[in-house]
Amino acid sequence: MDEYLIGTGALVTAGEHPCIIPAALHAAVEAAVAAAARVAVVDFDGASARVPRRLLLLVRDWRARAFEASVIARLRSKGLGSCTEALAALAEGTKAGELHLFARWLPGEDLCEGLAGLGVTIVAHPLEAIHRACLIEQRGCGCGAVRVRAA
């Protein structure tokens, strides 16, 4: 039976025009996954770990202002660098020892080793573990919803 993973976070886009957009996610997942995934990373677009261009970083049971102060501020101060740096900022900002990754790719050795040095473990789930999802981006004063269904 599905439960909901509901998290507050940010959609981080790297590349030529990097940006950080506050966002929230409501995702239907297996009950055990929902219970375990306190801090998560979702890559809806990427097909490989080489260059994830857009990652959703989120944490359960936090308010948007707390995420802004602890994680987004850290990302802005360090700049949008590598995937490892983004995940490290998420782990440090949330004081998480475990990040749940939902993607079509598996984390590489460099990513795992980079985070292990910070005492952080990645728990990988296939993107298909998200049965249904609603991503809510908060741009400026308005709020737009984008519905996403995992393939």
Side-chain angles (χ1 to χ4, degrees), residues 3 15 18 20 23 29 31 36 39 45 50 57 67 69 73 101 103 120 122 125 127-128 132 134-135 139-140:
E3 297 270 334
I20 302 169
V29 296
V39 180
D45 301 329
R50 272 199 229 170
L57 311 177
F67 193 88
L101 170 68
V120 178
I122 298 177
H125 303 275
L127 185 59
E128 294 77 18
R132 292 175 309 284
C134 180
L135 173 62
R139 296 177 183 260

Side-chain angles (χ1 to χ4, degrees), residues 135-139 142-146:
L135 173 62
I136 304 160
E137 296 178 12
Q138 299 174 0
R139 296 177 183 260
C143 180
V146 179

Side-chain angles (χ1 to χ4, degrees), residues 73-92:
R74 188 178 305 266
L75 285 166
R76 286 193 174 125
S77 71
K78 291 184 175 183
L80 292 177
S82 68
C83 178
T84 303
E85 292 168 338
L87 298 188
L90 176 64
E92 291 169 350

Side-chain angles (χ1 to χ4, degrees), residues 34-115:
R38 186 182 81 76
V39 180
V41 179
V42 182
D43 184 355
F44 285 112
D45 301 329
S48 78
R50 272 199 229 170
V51 188
R53 291 186 340 113
R54 191 174 355 185
L55 295 173
L56 177 62
L57 311 177
L58 59 107
V59 63
R60 239 184 26 219
D61 302 325
W62 276 34
R63 297 198 183 277
R65 287 183 194 245
F67 193 88
E68 167 76 35
S70 295
V71 179
I72 293 176
R74 188 178 305 266
L75 285 166
R76 286 193 174 125
S77 71
K78 291 184 175 183
L80 292 177
S82 68
C83 178
T84 303
E85 292 168 338
L87 298 188
L90 176 64
E92 291 169 350
T94 60
K95 296 181 178 25
E98 185 174 87
L99 300 179
H100 288 256
L101 170 68
F102 296 86
R104 289 187 178 94
W105 47 270
L106 291 172
E109 197 172 307
D110 56 335
L111 178 59
C112 292
E113 286 178 0
L115 292 175

